[in-house]
Amino acid sequence: MENLIEKSSNIIDVGCGDGKNSLYLAEHGFKSIDAFDLSENAVNKLRRLSISRQLTINTWVGDLCNFKFTKKYGLIMAFGILHFISKSDWYNFIINAKCATAIGGINIIQLLTDKIPPSIDIAPYAIGLAADGEIRECTKTSSFVK
Ligand SMILES: C[S@@+](CC[C@H](N)C(=O)[O-])C[C@H]1O[C@@H](n2cnc3c(N)ncnc32)[C@H](O)[C@@H]1O
């Protein structure tokens, strides 16, 4: 995947957790990586790891539901996060992410669907499970009405 993106591209890792994806990309020469997560502990861990590995990742604690894109990105990643926010919030995120994607850029989105029940530890928080194929449909629309 890293071969598909210019090393100079802006990258954002939304709901980065402790940042394994951001760290991987930084270790592969990407220089402009933004990463945020709701969890201060997770972001602090990513900061510690990036400092110890002498990698530069711009991190902050933030809520995706309030996030606004301020620049164009060559890669927008949202791994394992969107099912934790409401469906209307993740639809809006996807629409905004499309607008914030640079020409030739990539969005990588992974979320749980309702095809298989979520494990009991995350079930209470999994408020935005997608229906099968729903992301594909959502990406075809240019706007979303709640
Ligand atoms: C399963 S982890 C995935 C972490 C990372 N993306 C990865 O692939 O390793 C889900 C992450 O989403 C974060 N998260 C949940 N709701 C969020 C929100 N509203 N805004 C930002 N991050 C959120 C959690 O704190 C958690 O770190």
Side-chain angles (χ1 to χ4, degrees):
M1 183 272 289
E2 65 270 19
N3 298 327
L4 300 174
I5 314 156
E6 297 285 333
K7 299 282 181 198
S8 58
S9 293
N10 291 327
I11 291 172
I12 186 161
D13 187 359
V14 171
C16 58
D18 57 10
K20 64 178 184 313
N21 294 318
S22 291
L23 288 163
Y24 176 87
L25 290 170
E27 281 164 344
H28 284 76
F30 292 90
K31 302 282 180 221
S32 176
I33 303 176
D34 292 336
F36 74 91
D37 196 283
L38 199 55
S39 162
E40 191 170 0
N41 285 340
V43 170
N44 284 340
K45 183 174 173 191
L46 171 54
R47 285 180 184 147
R48 281 197 304 276
L49 289 170
S50 57
I51 290 166
S52 70
R53 296 180 196 180
Q54 298 182 303
L55 299 168
T56 303
I57 300 173
N58 175 38
T59 56
W60 68 94
V61 176
D63 185 343
L64 174 57
C65 302
N66 306 325
F67 174 67
K68 297 211 181 337
F69 287 97
T70 56
K71 58 184 166 188
K72 298 271 187 187
Y73 288 93
L75 173 61
I76 299 174
M77 300 185 282
F79 269 94
I81 164 173
L82 295 189
H83 45 264
F84 292 126
I85 64 174
S86 73
K87 203 170 265 197
S88 62
D89 280 335
W90 68 245
Y91 262 75
N92 283 326
F93 166 74
I94 289 172
I95 301 301
N96 293 335
K98 280 176 70 177
C99 295
T101 304
I103 292 169
I106 298 172
N107 298 166
I108 302 180
I109 293 169
Q110 182 268 332
L111 83 167
L112 297 180
T113 71
D114 58 10
K115 200 164 185 183
I116 299 172
S119 57
I120 50 169
D121 53 338
I122 70 158
Y125 310 102
I127 60 171
L129 294 174
D132 225 23
E134 192 171 11
I135 294 259
R136 201 174 308 114
E137 286 310 309
C138 162
T139 56
K140 289 180 193 160
T141 62
S142 57
S143 61
F144 175 65
V145 180
K146 285 185 194 183

